[in-house]
Amino acid sequence: MLKYPNISHYYSTLLGLLLWAASPQIAAQNIYFEWQQDIPLTNQTKKMLLAWVGGLNSPQFSSYDLNQDQKPDLIVFERTAGKVYTFLTDAAGIYQYAPQYEACFPAGLKGWLLLRDYDHDGRADLFTHTPFGIKVYQNITPANAPPQWQLVMDPIRTKGFRGMVNLQVNMMDIPIIQDLDSDGDLDILCFDFAQGSWLELHQNMSQEKYKNANQLDFERKSSCWGGLIEGADCGDYTFGYVCEVESMGGGGGAVIPPKTMHVGSTLALKDLNGDGLLDALIGDVSCPYIYYLPNVGTAQKALFKEFDQAFPPSKPIVLEEFPAVFFEDINADGKQDMLVSPNVFSNSENKIDFQHSVWLYENVGSESKPDFQFRQNDFLQSEMLEVGENAFPALQDLDADGDLDMLVGERGNMTENNFKARLQHYQNIGTAQKPHFTLIDEDYLGLSAWQITDIKPFFFDINADNAPDLGLVYHQGKEAKLLFFINQAKKGTAFKLDTKKTFEPNISLEYGDFPYFFTSPTDQKTHIFLGKRRGNLTHLIEENPSSYTLKTDTLGGIKKQGIRHHLNPVLVDFNQNGIPDLLTGDGEGILRLYPDFDLQSEQTWQAKTLLFKNILLNSFLEEDLGASIFPVVSDLNADGIPDLIIGLHTGGIRIAYGIK
């Protein structure tokens, strides 16, 4: 099965574009969007080189030459969003964000992704999670063409001790896909699927059977590689376990009953002490350390006898939870450096610092005997607009200089042993046509003192004085609250806010609800379109300044629907016909447009797809932004066409200009 780009994809994209343009509801607009990476963003005096990437939480790293310029580029798989990020290496060795390559990767990736060249054709192949174990996409990219993949195995099968079975890897884990026996083909090492207590070696028999590395023919050769059992607690390791078959698994000593482990482990193998043997680095769920296990066996049989949790000695790895290690040559000096990130799907206990979740250790030794020295805890992140989790943008001309400034809320970060959120203020020091944002206040209005989380700002003239006010949705404890700071300034002058002069509408919110306030030109009343945390859309109408009447809790047939939780509605006249269109973002990471929604007579509305121009594929595509998204719409470049400013679950922002 081919994944795009391919011929059928181009035809379907062209057909979709023609149908989209021919739609009677969309024909008047004929707008598409282009991602922007060149809008300047400065933090004090520093220019952020990767400003609009969108943030990183729990990234995994692989190298692959995307543009075939003989320099390895960086592919990042973000576990919390199930999304691929692509970075090109420029002539100076600096990473440049290149989102046009992301559409070339297979859709629906989850859990983990590792690029490894199993068939030795110089093109990295793609190994990833499937509910049945591991699936493999072969890289079939022609010369001078964008990346192309062909699904060749789903799932990988292995010859077990009692016949052929799926080679199962827990979705929480990261396995080893590496040549462990030095015969030229890639083997797989992973913790057992049922209990997660001991290492299974699945040897690739391609060289033995076919005299090449082109096959994926596996046999389980050991169920206790290295003679190791992992226990139920952090640092609970038992050594000397005997494997049930003689193999290259190693081990030896007394038979020890296995212990059940809470499943979840990351693996990395590398000769770390220069003795020619592959040592192990293991991370465990709910544990902050990386455990270093030196291999004291032989090239044929691994053997572990001890571990050290203070690795590397220059600055031991201590993340808040479940670290994973990746070896990649980051500075192009021919030696693999070390990257460390949390291997989590979410910040469930609010203890992970997702603003500083990518640790970089430079290898100042040699490839055969590395010496890892800590360099930073925010690799790539330091060059982005990065607030940790759930970036909530809002645009308004706060200083009345004729261009749009930006406020960015966040879910929160651990500060002084408290998990709390701030509101950041980015002033536009450019022009209305060419924005340039600079961070001038990391704690706008001092909201961190409120001990609140999930601050989502927006603007609406709640007191009808023709001057927009600042609205906030936020969480305090288990309560969701809505508050307006009343703008004390007159229309057309710089905002003047007093945190003691507020207004609280009488609206009941649940955790994760997002209201959009709108004054209808038809009845001049305030309407609230309330995106609910369970994915449905509620419509309320103002009866008086403190009372709203519920019209429906499933407007347009938009009901509670699984992963489309945390619905975020926006009203904007995209097609510029005087009738507002409805745009939504949700937990699925997809933008949906309901044109001229006020004229819709059907009980269930049909969403249109926003299309983005892909300069690499020369086509128009729908964009999957991974997990929860929080869009706002403004005219950032004063061309009269709505632009998209999209906050992401991963803590950053993406910007796309609307193009006619």
Side-chain angles (χ1 to χ4, degrees):
M1 180 177 68
L2 290 178
K3 293 291 182 179
Y4 61 96
N6 57 49
I7 296 299
S8 62
H9 165 70
Y10 285 121
Y11 278 123
S12 64
T13 300
L14 178 60
L15 177 61
L17 181 59
L18 292 173
L19 291 174
W20 177 79
S23 167
Q25 294 172 320
I26 299 294
Q29 72 162 1
N30 200 23
I31 293 177
Y32 63 89
F33 295 90
E34 288 186 348
W35 293 117
Q36 302 298 309
Q37 296 299 321
D38 296 330
I39 299 172
L41 174 70
T42 50
N43 184 347
Q44 297 175 348
T45 59
K46 176 186 176 183
K47 182 179 179 181
M48 316 293 275
L49 300 179
L50 302 170
W52 313 110
V53 170
L56 296 172
N57 289 349
S58 180
Q60 304 166 11
F61 300 90
S62 297
S63 294
Y64 166 49
D65 184 4
L66 285 167
N67 56 355
Q68 301 185 37
D69 65 351
Q70 310 307 311
K71 294 194 296 287
D73 304 305
L74 191 64
I75 289 78
V76 179
F77 178 70
E78 172 55 53
R79 173 178 278 234
T80 65
K83 174 176 170 50
V84 171
Y85 294 78
T86 49
F87 298 85
L88 295 177
T89 306
D90 68 12
I94 298 174
Y95 290 119
Q96 302 289 336
Y97 185 44
Q100 63 269 25
Y101 286 90
E102 295 169 2
C104 300
F105 283 76
L109 300 171
K110 296 183 182 299
W112 56 270
L113 181 153
L114 297 171
L115 295 177
R116 303 289 187 263
D117 184 8
Y118 80 84
D119 54 7
H120 293 285
D121 64 356
R123 301 173 295 187
D125 307 298
L126 193 156
F127 293 74
T128 189
H129 168 80
T130 173
F132 303 104
I134 302 174
K135 60 181 174 181
V136 185
Y137 292 89
Q138 186 182 29
N139 192 329
I140 57 170
T141 306
N144 303 313
Q148 298 182 28
W149 313 90
Q150 181 176 11
L151 183 64
V152 293
M153 191 164 288
D154 182 10
I156 287 179
R157 303 270 289 172
T158 186
K159 183 179 179 182
F161 300 140
R162 296 177 179 85
M164 297 299 295
V165 295
N166 293 359
L167 203 169
Q168 281 281 11
V169 174
N170 191 284
M171 189 177 183
M172 292 291 296
D173 292 5
I174 295 181
I176 292 294
I177 302 174
Q178 193 169 327
D179 185 2
L180 300 180
D181 54 4
S182 302
D183 67 350
D185 53 28
L186 295 182
D187 311 298
I188 295 178
L189 184 72
C190 58
F191 275 95
D192 72 286
F193 182 75
Q195 295 180 321
S197 295
W198 55 86
L199 286 170
E200 293 184 344
L201 171 66
H202 299 267
Q203 185 180 355
N204 192 343
M205 306 302 292
S206 184
Q207 290 286 3
E208 287 78 2
K209 291 183 177 180
Y210 311 105
K211 306 303 180 184
N212 60 55
N214 298 335
Q215 312 302 315
L216 295 166
D217 190 333
F218 292 92
E219 292 185 14
R220 187 172 73 167
K221 292 294 186 179
S222 174
S223 62
C224 61
W225 191 78
L228 166 73
I229 299 178
E230 192 174 51
D233 300 317
C234 297
D236 183 6
Y237 293 99
T238 303
F239 304 100
Y241 182 56
V242 174
C243 297
E244 64 267 41
V245 295
E246 183 66 21
S247 70
M248 60 181 285
V255 175
I256 302 173
K259 302 177 183 179
T260 301
M261 171 83 176
H262 50 289
V263 175
S265 297
T266 64
L267 286 169
L269 295 182
K270 189 175 182 64
D271 181 6
L272 298 170
N273 54 16
D275 64 357
L277 302 177
L278 291 174
D279 307 302
L281 295 176
I282 300 177
D284 290 321
V285 65
S286 301
C287 302
Y289 307 107
I290 280 290
Y291 300 99
Y292 166 48
L293 288 77
N295 188 349
V296 295
T298 66
Q300 290 72 38
K301 290 188 177 182
L303 180 62
F304 303 114
K305 290 186 176 181
E306 61 182 358
F307 72 90
D308 184 356
Q309 72 179 29
F311 180 85
S314 60
K315 180 180 173 59
I317 297 166
V318 185
L319 267 65
E320 292 86 352
E321 185 177 348
F322 203 4
V325 169
F326 305 90
F327 295 112
E328 300 294 341
D329 183 6
I330 296 302
N331 54 7
D333 64 354
K335 300 175 295 185
Q336 286 188 323
D337 307 295
M338 184 169 68
L339 293 164
V340 188
S341 65
N343 188 52
V344 297
F345 285 102
S346 66
N347 195 1
S348 58
E349 298 182 15
N350 294 337
K351 63 183 182 180
I352 301 175
D353 180 3
F354 276 148
Q355 286 183 304
H356 306 89
S357 58
V358 187
W359 290 25
L360 170 63
Y361 290 82
E362 182 185 1
N363 183 0
V364 299
S366 63
E367 180 61 22
S368 59
K369 191 174 182 180
D371 178 7
F372 295 112
Q373 296 294 319
F374 177 78
R375 292 294 179 251
Q376 63 185 110
N377 63 3
D378 54 0
F379 173 66
L380 297 180
Q381 295 171 306
S382 64
E383 300 292 342
M384 302 177 188
L385 191 159
E386 167 68 271
V387 299
E389 298 176 80
N390 289 4
F392 300 112
L395 280 293
Q396 186 63 241
D397 186 3
L398 295 173
D399 51 8
D401 65 350
D403 53 35
L404 291 172
D405 308 297
M406 181 168 60
L407 298 181
V408 181
E410 63 187 28
R411 179 169 180 263
N413 286 284
M414 187 63 70
T415 306
E416 300 173 349
N417 296 320
N418 288 311
F419 188 79
K420 56 188 179 182
R422 302 171 301 174
L423 185 61
Q424 296 186 354
H425 177 197
Y426 292 84
Q427 184 180 21
N428 188 346
I429 59 174
T431 66
Q433 294 75 30
K434 294 184 177 181
H436 176 173
F437 294 102
T438 186
L439 178 63
I440 64 169
D441 193 343
E442 292 185 336
D443 191 11
Y444 187 61
L445 301 178
L447 296 183
S448 65
W450 290 24
Q451 303 287 314
I452 59 179
T453 65
D454 302 88
I455 298 176
K456 184 180 188 298
F458 62 95
F459 293 95
F460 180 74
D461 181 10
I462 192 65
N463 59 352
D465 65 352
N466 294 318
D469 306 297
L470 172 60
L472 289 184
V473 179
Y474 61 93
H475 297 153
Q476 193 164 37
K478 295 183 179 180
E479 291 186 83
K481 296 188 176 183
L482 173 63
L483 176 74
F484 280 91
F485 294 110
I486 302 302
N487 185 2
Q488 304 299 305
K490 295 181 179 180
K491 179 183 178 181
T493 62
F495 265 61
K496 184 179 179 181
L497 300 175
D498 185 339
T499 56
K500 295 180 181 179
K501 295 181 179 180
T502 62
F503 171 71
E504 297 185 38
N506 185 22
I507 300 171
S508 177
L509 297 181
E510 295 181 293
Y511 188 98
D513 289 354
F514 298 120
Y516 186 89
F517 283 72
F518 176 73
T519 299
S520 171
T522 303
D523 59 16
Q524 300 303 313
K525 292 184 177 181
T526 297
H527 294 241
I528 300 177
F529 300 92
L530 182 59
K532 301 291 288 182
R533 69 183 181 92
R534 294 181 178 89
N536 55 307
L537 183 61
T538 291
H539 181 203
L540 303 99
I541 299 180
E542 177 190 30
E543 297 300 333
N544 58 62
S546 60
S547 177
Y548 294 84
T549 299
L550 175 67
K551 300 298 291 183
T552 177
D553 61 0
T554 55
L555 183 64
I558 302 176
K559 303 177 181 179
K560 302 173 184 178
Q561 30 190 334
I563 62 173
R564 295 187 191 177
H565 54 274
H566 296 169
L567 189 73
N568 194 110
V570 179
L571 296 188
V572 62
D573 185 7
F574 272 113
N575 53 19
Q576 301 177 333
N577 64 352
I579 303 169
D581 310 307
L582 172 67
L583 177 70
T584 65
D586 54 43
E588 197 176 17
I590 301 295
L591 292 164
R592 294 178 173 86
L593 178 66
Y594 301 87
D596 298 345
F597 83 99
D598 206 26
L599 299 181
Q600 296 278 1
S601 58
E602 296 84 0
Q603 289 186 342
T604 300
W605 302 341
Q606 297 300 313
K608 303 292 182 181
T609 299
L610 293 187
L611 296 180
F612 294 78
K613 184 177 181 180
N614 188 297
I615 59 175
L616 174 70
L617 305 179
N618 194 28
S619 58
F620 296 84
L621 306 173
E622 176 184 351
E623 287 281 352
D624 182 352
L625 296 170
S628 296
I629 54 175
F630 314 101
V632 295
V633 180
S634 291
D635 185 2
L636 262 184
N637 56 356
D639 64 354
I641 304 172
D643 305 313
L644 296 173
I645 303 92
I646 306 169
L648 301 186
H649 166 70
T650 42
I653 289 175
R654 299 283 300 274
I655 295 177
Y657 281 163
I659 308 293
K660 277 190 176 180

